[in-house]
Amino acid sequence: MKQLFLRRLPLLVILCYCSIGTMAQQTNSKDVFSIIPQPLNIDLQQGEFVLDETIQIWIDTDKEVQGIAELLVKGLNDFVGIHPKIVQKPARGSRTIRLQLVADTLGDEGYRLSVDTDGIVARASKPNGLFYAIQTIHQLLPMTRSIGEKVTIPAVSIVDKPRFGWRGLLLDVGRYFYSVDYIKKYIDYLAMHKLNVFHWHLVEDHGWRIEIKKYPRLTEIGAWRPSTNFQRGSQYVNPNPHGGYYTHEDIREVVAYAQARYVTVVPEIEMPGHVLSALVAYPELSCTGGPFEIPELWGIQKDVYCAGNEQVFTFLEDVLTEVMELFPGEIIHIGGDECPKDHWKTCPKCQQRIKDEGLKDEHELQSYFITRMEKFLNSKGRRIIGWDEILEGGLAPNATVMSWRGVKGGIEAARMHHPVVMTPNTHLYLDYFQGEPYLEPTGYKGHLPLRKVYAYEPIPEELTREEQDYIIGVQGNVWSEFTHSREKADYLTYPRGAALAEVAWSKKENKNWEDFKRRLETQYLRYEYKGINYARSAYQVYFEVTDHIGQNKSTVTLHTDSYQPEIYYTLDGTQPSPKSLKYTGAIEVDTHTTIHTATFRDGKQLSPVSARAIVHFRR
C-alpha cells in the first residue's frame, strides 16, 4: 500500500523540492543530480530526453544483456509507468535506450552513459558495467512530477568506474534468521548502491542456517534455540523459540538471483570457534564431548572444534564440499575469529597435535587448522578469506584477510602481500548506534553516525604504494545480536550503506560530505518508494558544549548529519516548534540550563527532540 500511495501521489513526499528535470532547466551544474555513489565524471549537457511509451530498448544478441534490459524495463515500469519494448533492430528514426558492449578501458564494471534529446546510450566492456549504467539511469529519473507532466532526464555525459573491486555488506543470519524473500530484497538494495558482494554469515553459536544433507542434525537441532535472552541495562527476555535454515533449493535461488544483479554471494562457515550450533548436534567434534545447549546470551563461547580430532576435518571437508556445490564463487569465508584456546590447552588430542606437527603453541595450532582447511579448498579451485585473527600463529599461504579489529590486521596482511578487505568495527559495524543512544532502538555498543562512515578512508597512510594495491575493498557488517526484524535490518543498513557505497565506489577526490548530504535527500525518496525502512537519525541534533570556567556560562553549537535542516530550540523546558528560537549559530547559555532541540523543514518536524542539560561541576 505504501508503494502504491507513493506512485499515485508522489508530490506528497515532503523531502523533495522539485524534480531533477525541473532542476536541470534552472541551472547548468552537475549539482542537479542525486547519484549515489558519486560517478567518476559528470558533464551536464543542453536539452533533455523525454521518456514515454514510444521508446525502445536496443540491444544486441547477447543473452546476458537481454536480462539487464529486462531489469531496466521493470525499473522504468515501476518508477515511470512505461513498458518499452526490447528490440535488436529498432525502427528507423525511433528513440532508443541503447545497451552496447564495446571494447573499453574502464574495466569490467565501468561504463559510459550519454543522454541527449534523441536517446540514451550506455556502453561498457562487460555486462557488469551495463548493469551499473542502468542503476544510474534509474537515479536520473525524476522522483516527483505533476499529474500529466512529461517524464524527462536531463542531457548528460557520465564516465564511471569503481575504486575497489570488493564492495560488500554482511548480514548475520546465524543469530537471527531472515527469510529468502528478505535476502533477495537485501541483495536488491546492495545492487542499487552498486555494491557487489553479499557476505552471508550462515554459521554462528546461536544457529546453523545451511542445510547439509550428510549431517542432517545440523539443521534438525543446531538451527533452533528455545529463547533469546539479551541484556542491556535491565534484562529483557524473549521467551519465543527462534530458528530456521536455508535448504539447497533456497540457496540456489538466492545465488541465481544475486548473479542476475552482479552480486557475488560469499558464504561464511565459521571455524574453529563460534560453532556451538554444530557441537549441539555433534558433540563428538568438541574437546570435552558435551553435552551442549544453544546459548541464549550473546558472547564468546569457550567450546570450539577439537583441533586434534581427525573427525573434525573429515566433517568440515564434507560440509565444505556441499557448500562448494551450492556457491559457484571462488571465495569461501571460514571465519577464524574469537576462538578461545582454553580447551585446547587441556585437551590431550590437541596437545598431541601440537607435538606431532612441531607447533609452538595453541596459536600456531589455529594456524595449522586454518592452513589445512585452506589446502583443501585450494585443491578444489577455491580460496579462503577470514577475519584478522587468522594472522595469529602465521597466515595461511593464499588467504585473504578481513580486517575488523581496526585496521592493524589489514596493514599487517598487506605488508605480507596478502589481499585485504577493510571492515573495521570503528567505522563499518552498522549494528552500532547511529544517533543518540537514548533516541535509537536497542543496539550494540558503539556510536557510528553517518558522517563517520562517510569519512572512512580504506587505504592506510602507513602502506607503501605497492602495499596499497593489496587493499582490494571495503565492507559494512550488520550483526544480529539485537537485530530481530527485517525493518530493523533496513534501519541499521541505510543510509549508512549509501555512505559505504560512496567510500567503496567513488574516487577519494570526488567525495564531498556536504554534497553527499544533498544527494541523500533524493535517495531518501527512493528508499520510501521501495519500502526501505531507513533511519532518520541523520536529522537528530548533536551538541558541542564549551564551558567558560568561572563565568557560569557555556557556548553551545548544534549540528546534524542532514542537508540544511532548520533547527529550532527552547531554553524554558517546552518542546521546540517552528515558533521557537531558530538556531543560526553558536549560542551562549547560563549554567543549569536545559536545551531542547529538533529539526524541521517546511513546518514539519523531521527529528525527535534532543535534550542536553548544561551543568558545571566544581572540581
Side-chain angles (χ1 to χ4, degrees), residues 600-617:
F600 296 80
R601 179 169 293 144
D602 298 330
K604 183 176 179 64
Q605 186 170 331
L606 301 176
S607 74
V609 175
S610 299
R612 176 66 60 87
I614 309 300
V615 180
H616 294 178
F617 294 97

Side-chain angles (χ1 to χ4, degrees), residues 576-594:
S577 74
K579 296 181 180 180
S580 304
L581 298 168
K582 184 174 183 179
Y583 179 76
T584 57
I587 54 179
E588 191 174 89
V589 299
D590 294 330
T591 302
H592 300 103
T593 297
T594 298

Side-chain angles (χ1 to χ4, degrees), residues 312-609:
V312 167
F313 295 98
T314 300
F315 166 82
L316 288 173
E317 288 180 6
D318 290 341
V319 167
L320 291 172
T321 295
E322 288 196 32
V323 169
M324 287 185 284
E325 291 172 357
L326 296 169
F327 294 92
E330 182 184 13
I331 295 180
I332 306 290
H333 203 299
I334 49 77
D337 62 311
E338 297 179 330
C339 178
K341 313 296 190 294
D342 304 59
H343 292 321
W344 286 3
K345 291 178 180 179
T346 59
C347 172
K349 290 181 179 179
C350 290
Q351 292 303 307
Q352 188 63 45
R353 178 80 73 188
I354 290 173
K355 181 179 179 181
D356 293 345
E357 297 294 334
L359 305 175
K360 180 180 178 181
D361 55 20
E362 288 75 25
H363 292 290
E364 289 195 0
L365 180 59
Q366 175 160 325
S367 178
Y368 164 85
F369 192 113
I370 298 298
T371 300
R372 181 165 173 178
M373 297 315 303
E374 181 191 59
K375 288 180 180 178
F376 171 73
L377 287 168
N378 287 169
S379 72
K380 306 297 182 181
R382 304 301 182 93
R383 295 167 48 216
I384 70 166
I385 185 171
W387 303 106
D388 55 54
E389 285 95 332
I390 67 174
L391 286 158
E392 297 172 5
L395 186 56
N398 304 305
T400 298
V401 171
M402 191 165 273
S403 186
W404 76 275
R405 296 178 299 177
V407 301
K408 182 179 178 181
I411 293 171
E412 181 180 350
R415 285 175 172 165
M416 297 168 65
H417 292 183
H418 281 256
V420 173
V421 175
M422 286 297 197
T423 179
N425 58 342
T426 53
H427 288 78
L428 296 176
Y429 266 40
L430 305 184
D431 55 324
Y432 287 4
F433 291 113
Q434 56 195 307
E436 293 286 1
Y438 66 91
L439 295 175
E440 293 290 306
T442 302
Y444 204 70
K445 63 182 179 181
H447 185 230
L448 184 58
L450 180 67
R451 63 182 179 276
K452 189 172 182 180
V453 178
Y454 191 81
Y456 179 59
E457 168 48 44
I459 303 293
E461 294 179 356
E462 297 93 323
L463 298 179
T464 66
R465 175 62 68 87
E466 179 186 9
E467 293 165 347
Q468 290 175 7
D469 291 340
Y470 289 92
I471 308 299
I472 64 172
V474 290
Q475 178 173 293
N477 300 323
V478 179
W479 300 103
S480 295
E481 284 95 338
F482 305 100
T483 312
H484 296 172
S485 71
R486 58 196 296 173
E487 291 79 15
K488 190 169 181 181
D490 283 358
Y491 184 94
L492 293 175
T493 308
Y494 299 104
R496 290 184 295 187
L500 164 71
E502 196 138 309
V503 170
W505 179 281
S506 302
K507 196 174 179 180
K508 180 180 178 181
E509 302 81 63
N510 282 3
K511 288 175 59 184
N512 182 298
W513 169 238
E514 291 300 321
D515 186 61
F516 175 73
K517 290 191 295 182
R518 176 192 65 80
R519 287 178 281 126
L520 264 184
E521 295 299 324
T522 302
Q523 192 77 346
Y524 291 150
L525 298 184
R526 298 180 185 121
Y527 293 162
E528 293 196 16
Y529 191 84
K530 289 180 174 291
I532 300 175
N533 183 45
Y534 68 96
R536 278 75 166 175
S537 308
Y539 287 105
Q540 292 180 20
V541 179
Y542 292 93
F543 301 80
E544 292 182 11
V545 181
T546 302
D547 295 336
H548 303 306
I549 305 300
Q551 300 181 32
N552 291 325
K553 292 183 179 296
S554 296
T555 298
V556 180
T557 303
L558 307 177
H559 68 87
T560 78
D561 283 356
S562 60
Y563 183 66
Q564 297 182 352
E566 297 173 340
I567 302 176
Y568 290 91
Y569 67 95
T570 64
L571 303 175
D572 59 3
T574 60
Q575 298 296 291
S577 74
K579 296 181 180 180
S580 304
L581 298 168
K582 184 174 183 179
Y583 179 76
T584 57
I587 54 179
E588 191 174 89
V589 299
D590 294 330
T591 302
H592 300 103
T593 297
T594 298
I595 306 178
H596 291 82
T597 70
T599 54
F600 296 80
R601 179 169 293 144
D602 298 330
K604 183 176 179 64
Q605 186 170 331
L606 301 176
S607 74
V609 175

Side-chain angles (χ1 to χ4, degrees), residues 135 183-193 257 261:
Q135 303 311 310
I183 297 299
K184 287 182 176 180
K185 288 185 180 300
Y186 203 77
I187 289 169
D188 280 335
Y189 305 157
L190 264 75
M192 72 177 278
H193 290 86
Y257 191 87
R261 288 150 182 81

